[in-house]
Amino acid sequence: MFLWEGVSEFVAVAESESFTAASKQLGISTAQVSRQISALENRLNTKLFYRTTRKVSLTEEGTIYYQHCRRLLDGLQEAERAISDRRDTPQGSLKLTAPVTYGEQYIMPLVVDFILQYPEVDVTMNLTNQTVDLVEGGYDLAIRLGKLSSSTMMAKRLASRTQFVCASPGYLEKFGVPHSLSELRHHNCLVGNYDHWRFQEAGKERSVRIDGTLRCASGHALRDAALKGLGLIQLPDYYIIDDLERGDLVTVLDTFREPEEGIWALYPHNRHLSPKVRLLVDFLAESLS
């Protein structure tokens, strides 16, 4: 067992690039992680990390050692998963995060259904529009919307969303229907989290700066303002689909609409999904599709 000492701590630091994050992930003190890494380096007579006050990174020897250790831990996790898979009923804790509106409207009702189906599972859900660090925060799963920027996570597509530009019939009757992206500067475009709207023109992505008399980082507030005739909005379908079907809002600039974007389940790279997480991901994918 001596050969295994420090390996889990080493891999955790290598993947999180932080002694503090590794200690939180492993549930031990930062000092204990540091002692284990130092003992491992002494035993190997090799420096595994470059350490500065701002960053921890692998040395060349550390990178080689990490590749072997990761495979060893993966094999151990596979062995444990083989035992866990024999259980008929998933059990234990799950920690999730999702965007506020989409999480409230779609994810949480399904999570509740999942708990009712598997009562031995308990869930902690963090609904936030901030991009949290899954490893440092100890999350099993994150729901992310749109284009993914992180290459350090594994992702499974659950569903899709479409962004619409729309306004009330009364607003369009009073101020006219825009037929080109250049006409947006003549309209009251209600601003959310970003002051640019994304489109596709001639097969290429295009970002258009917009401005208006209302700025609010709430899709529900922007929807309400558009329904009352204040201006144009660009929002995902799940905010406004019922309004569009009733004719309370009308889409414009449809020929410039971006293709569908993904709705994703993310989990840490090189980690095998536990049976309960895998079951939840499959449950969400089947329900959302």
Side-chain angles (χ1 to χ4, degrees), residues 87-245:
R87 298 176 182 171
D88 294 330
T89 304
Q91 53 189 284
S93 300
L94 286 171
K95 187 175 182 181
L96 317 175
T97 181
V100 177
T101 298
Y102 191 82
E104 289 177 338
Q105 192 168 342
Y106 291 97
I107 300 301
M108 278 309 301
L110 294 177
V111 168
V112 171
D113 290 342
F114 185 81
I115 295 173
L116 290 172
Q117 189 170 346
Y118 303 104
E120 293 186 43
V121 173
D122 60 88
V123 173
T124 298
M125 170 64 86
N126 178 18
L127 293 176
T128 175
N129 292 328
Q130 302 298 316
T131 302
V132 300
D133 188 308
L134 301 191
V135 174
E136 185 172 353
Y139 289 92
D140 296 292
L141 196 68
I143 305 300
R144 298 278 166 82
L145 310 177
K147 298 178 181 178
L148 299 178
S149 57
S150 173
S151 60
T152 62
M153 296 289 149
M154 299 296 289
K156 177 181 176 64
R157 187 170 180 139
L158 302 177
S160 61
R161 70 171 186 175
T162 303
Q163 298 269 9
F164 290 97
V165 176
C166 57
S168 69
Y171 174 88
L172 297 175
E173 182 178 354
K174 185 175 181 179
F175 297 101
V177 177
H179 297 287
S180 66
L181 300 183
S182 61
E183 293 178 58
L184 286 175
R185 66 177 179 269
H186 303 303
H187 282 269
N188 192 30
C189 298
L190 311 183
V191 185
N193 289 317
Y194 307 101
D195 60 0
H196 287 76
W197 286 353
R198 293 185 290 113
F199 298 94
Q200 182 167 282
E201 185 175 28
K204 297 181 179 180
E205 293 183 6
R206 182 173 171 189
S207 179
V208 177
R209 186 178 181 86
I210 49 95
D211 196 16
T213 59
L214 176 63
R215 292 173 176 266
C216 182
S218 166
H220 288 302
L222 296 178
R223 167 185 170 270
D224 178 69
L227 287 169
K228 293 176 180 176
L230 186 59
L232 293 168
I233 54 172
Q234 185 181 61
L235 285 176
D237 47 15
Y238 51 84
Y239 280 99
I240 54 174
I241 189 67
D242 292 337
D243 303 315
L244 296 178
E245 290 178 353

Side-chain angles (χ1 to χ4, degrees), residues 2-3 5 7 10 37-48 61-62 65 69:
F2 178 76
L3 293 175
E5 288 184 2
V7 171
F10 165 72
I37 296 298
S38 295
L40 183 61
E41 288 180 324
N42 290 334
R43 177 160 59 85
L44 296 173
N45 194 26
T46 302
K47 185 176 182 179
L48 299 173
E61 291 78 11
Y65 193 62
C69 289

Side-chain angles (χ1 to χ4, degrees), residues 77-78 81 84-85 94 139-141 154-156 265-268 270-282:
Q77 290 170 355
E78 280 287 345
R81 191 179 73 170
S84 298
D85 282 346
L94 286 171
Y139 289 92
D140 296 292
L141 196 68
M154 299 296 289
K156 177 181 176 64
L266 263 64
Y267 52 93
N270 284 337
R271 303 271 183 87
H272 292 290
L273 285 178
S274 67
K276 59 177 177 279
V277 177
R278 193 173 345 107
L279 193 62
L280 175 59
V281 170
D282 292 342

